[in-house]
Amino acid sequence: MTTLPTDGKRKRVFIRTYGCQMNVYDSDRMADVLRPLGYALSESPEQADLVVLNTCHIREKASEKVYSELGRLRDVKAERRNAGADLTIAVAGCVAQAEGAEIARRQPAVDIVVGPQAYHRLPQLLAEAERRAALRRAGKRLPGAGVLDTEFPAESKFDHLPAPAGVRAGSAFLSIQEGCDKFCTFCVVPYTRGAEYSRPAEAILREARGLVEAGAIELTLLGQNVNAYHGEAPVCSIGGSTWSLARLIRALAEIEGVVRLRYTTSHPRDMDDDLIAAHGEVPQLMPYLHLPVQSGSDRILEAMNRGHGRDLFRSLADRLRERRSDLALSSDLIVGFPGESDADFDDTMRLVEEVGFASAFSFKYSRRPGTPGAALADQVPEAVKTARLSALQALLADQQLRFNTAKVGAVVPVLFAEAGRKPGQVLGKSPWLQSVHVAGPASLLGRIAEVELTAAYAVSLAGRLSSSVGAAA
Ligand code: SAH
Ligand code: SF4
Ligand code: F3S
């Protein structure tokens, strides 16, 4: 239940989320933590008493965005103070973890810097920020820069966060694992999110049941390395003391009302036999898998410390498709990792051609401070990275269009999630995570309906509601 502040005035928080789905999940959890303190969500910083930037550090551009946004917020705060009020600014997420107190030094308008493992302590951090603001108003000089909490605490934040409050349009994220011990040489995640941690299965099942009660029919299990999941088994469970992701998926599929299951993001090294088998055996597990490969060159994969070669990836793709012939594969690819030659890049192009992706994200290598890759001597020139990225993206776009076109004429279940761009249109997801728009009523949101796919575009499909089958939840 929401408790209003004692003065009866409702406070407002604006949360801006950058980066991956883990951050999207965390932003919702932060809103859940703040709700009992009287905070309702606001649509813009201008209407908010508290602004939280939930940041991403993965590439240089992502973290630089934060400082330009903070510059704008500083101006909003200055105007607010001129009017005798205030704005509290908090920086959360992976930039907060990576740069810590440096953020408040670089932008003194920042009141709170909070790392991803400390969100359950937001109420204490806010109280401390308010105490500092009161001292400042009284003309006192304050030691240090802002309130900082970037500890990796011994306790898990998941044990202290409130249960998720609501579900948007039938679909919910469920974080089951955090952190990463893989230390790919380009990546900041092991430093910003800490060591791998798997939530106990019982807590996940409880959260899943709550989400289904709140209207979820699709659950997407999240983790930086979600298939490395090895959570404590429920007390009543027979077998080993931990559950794998496959075991957890099988248990989640037994919860009445769970119609669709997805999981992201996976590492090729952790695709075990049982998980591959689950793709053929668990009907709720959607025929779509995001499996980052990063490069098709064995030499570069080794330099990236990925722990596998191109052959392992190819055989995984084959084995998964043996189990589930219509499986759509998606991936992440990096061009221009230090030392990547033309021949290495050709290997990546060949791998993409051989595997065939339904969609993929591709990036230029970005040199991240503190990672081993940043220290390598043979950095690839920017112009070479640009040329390789555009060649790769042309190939991927072609594959995506071909994948989408091949589905035209099929009748498929679509889970509707939001209003379309045009009036009277609704937008949903096919089992293969394609965006599908149809003419239809808003009452479809949060429900699954059969749709005949009528046209394919680069990143979406058009369809019409199939008259033979009505909407079903
Ligand atoms: N396993 C993770 C990956 C997180 S980062 C997960 O759960 O999603 C997402 C993607 O960003 C990576 O797969 C990689 O392709 C890309 N990436 C990470 N570090 C990068 C860097 N330094 N430069 C360019 N791309 C990077
Ligand atoms: Fe980063 Fe590699 Fe871990 Fe993924 S597996 S989060 S790319 S270190
Ligand atoms: Fe970015 Fe952190 Fe996610 S660096 S991609 S927000 S784990």
Side-chain angles (χ1 to χ4, degrees):
M1 207 185 108
T2 304
T3 340
L4 284 172
T6 43
D7 62 1
K9 221 176 109 223
R10 206 144 171 79
K11 291 182 275 184
R12 298 209 160 257
V13 55
F14 174 75
I15 307 179
R16 193 187 293 286
T17 309
Y18 302 87
C20 62
Q21 287 147 328
M22 304 292 295
N23 266 13
V24 176
Y25 177 87
D26 283 347
S27 288
D28 284 347
R29 293 290 73 74
M30 282 193 263
D32 293 335
V33 170
L34 293 168
R35 201 167 294 113
L37 304 182
Y39 282 96
L41 286 179
S42 148
E43 296 288 311
S44 76
E46 284 73 20
Q47 289 156 6
D49 305 285
L50 166 66
V51 172
V52 180
L53 300 185
N54 193 6
T55 62
C56 174
H57 195 56
I58 202 81
R59 283 168 289 273
E60 196 178 342
K61 260 197 200 135
S63 21
E64 281 310 309
K65 258 190 227 158
V66 174
Y67 287 100
S68 48
E69 181 68 18
L70 284 176
R72 281 192 290 276
L73 291 175
R74 173 202 51 205
D75 297 343
V76 178
K77 184 173 183 139
E79 277 171 31
R80 203 64 73 76
R81 283 190 174 168
N82 285 339
D86 209 347
L87 172 71
T88 306
I89 301 175
V91 179
C94 291
V95 178
Q97 189 63 44
E99 297 187 4
E102 181 57 29
I103 298 172
R105 267 196 290 276
R106 199 167 148 185
Q107 180 45 268
V110 171
D111 301 284
I112 298 171
V113 176
V114 53
Q117 306 307 339
Y119 298 149
H120 56 295
R121 294 200 293 244
L122 265 173
Q124 291 95 303
L125 301 176
L126 271 168
E128 175 62 12
E130 271 165 34
R131 194 183 67 81
R132 288 174 64 93
L135 287 173
R136 190 193 51 78
R137 282 194 297 274
K140 300 255 172 24
R141 273 174 57 98
L142 298 170
V147 180
L148 179 72
D149 191 344
T150 52
E151 293 291 305
F152 286 141
E155 83 272 17
S156 160
K157 69 177 175 193
F158 294 111
D159 296 337
H160 300 273
L161 289 169
V167 167
R168 277 182 223 112
S171 188
F173 288 143
L174 203 176
S175 181
I176 67 164
Q177 180 275 342
E178 262 218 271
C180 181
D181 296 335
K182 294 278 195 292
F183 290 94
C184 300
T185 53
F186 51 81
C187 183
V188 294
V189 170
Y191 312 98
T192 62
R193 295 273 173 170
E196 246 175 58
Y197 166 77
S198 295
R199 292 176 72 186
E202 191 59 61
I204 295 167
L205 293 172
R206 200 180 319 121
E207 189 165 320
R209 286 187 215 105
L211 289 166
V212 170
E213 263 168 44
I217 53 176
E218 175 180 81
L219 298 177
T220 301
L221 312 179
L222 297 181
Q224 263 92 20
N225 251 318
V226 74
N227 58 343
Y229 177 81
H230 57 279
E232 192 189 311
V235 260
C236 57
S237 150
I238 33 176
S241 57
T242 59
W243 273 13
S244 65
L245 178 61
R247 180 70 191 82
L248 181 67
I249 284 173
R250 292 176 198 277
L252 287 164
E254 278 170 23
I255 297 177
E256 204 180 321
V258 173
V259 183
R260 289 181 166 196
L261 283 167
R262 302 180 183 277
Y263 62 94
T264 196
T265 297
S266 303
H267 194 292
R269 260 163 63 194
D270 294 316
M271 284 308 298
D272 62 35
D273 292 345
D274 197 18
L275 188 54
I276 294 172
H279 278 274
E281 291 164 5
V282 179
Q284 290 97 328
L285 194 53
M286 289 291 98
Y288 172 93
L289 177 63
H290 182 66
L291 192 60
V293 64
Q294 315 298 354
S295 169
S297 153
D298 282 338
R299 217 173 60 82
I300 295 297
L301 285 168
E302 172 144 26
M304 287 175 160
N305 191 31
R306 291 289 290 176
H308 68 85
R310 56 181 285 130
D311 285 351
L312 178 104
F313 192 85
R314 284 209 49 190
S315 84
L316 280 176
D318 291 346
R319 287 169 59 210
L320 281 155
R321 284 168 173 159
E322 267 164 34
R323 296 290 181 153
R324 181 82 209 221
S325 59
D326 67 340
L327 186 91
L329 273 174
S330 149
S331 201
D332 290 341
L333 293 139
I334 295 178
V335 300
F337 183 82
E340 186 189 71
S341 65
D342 285 340
D344 293 319
F345 176 65
D346 289 347
D347 284 347
T348 297
M349 293 290 276
R350 250 185 333 111
L351 182 77
V352 171
E353 267 160 19
E354 287 162 7
V355 173
F357 291 103
S359 69
F361 300 97
S362 48
F363 314 98
K364 285 185 206 173
Y365 169 71
S366 171
R367 202 171 176 173
R368 305 308 290 131
T371 60
L376 295 174
D378 38 1
Q379 299 288 322
V380 173
E382 192 58 27
V384 176
K385 287 189 205 170
T386 304
R388 287 180 187 163
L389 187 67
S390 76
L392 176 59
Q393 289 189 336
L395 175 59
L396 291 170
D398 182 54
Q399 291 194 340
Q400 184 163 8
L401 183 60
R402 269 190 281 153
F403 183 81
N404 288 348
T405 306
K407 296 278 186 240
V408 171
V411 177
V412 306
V414 172
L415 169 53
F416 288 97
E418 56 187 302
R421 249 181 301 156
K422 295 186 193 146
Q425 225 183 36
V426 279
L427 196 66
K429 294 286 184 201
S430 77
W432 306 277
L433 211 64
Q434 297 152 301
S435 292
V436 178
H437 50 90
V438 303
S443 58
L444 280 171
L445 298 187
R447 311 182 72 192
I448 292 176
E450 295 292 320
V451 170
E452 183 188 349
L453 300 173
T454 52
Y457 307 101
V459 292
S460 67
L461 286 137
R464 67 173 153 257
L465 290 170
S466 165
S467 50
S468 56
V469 191

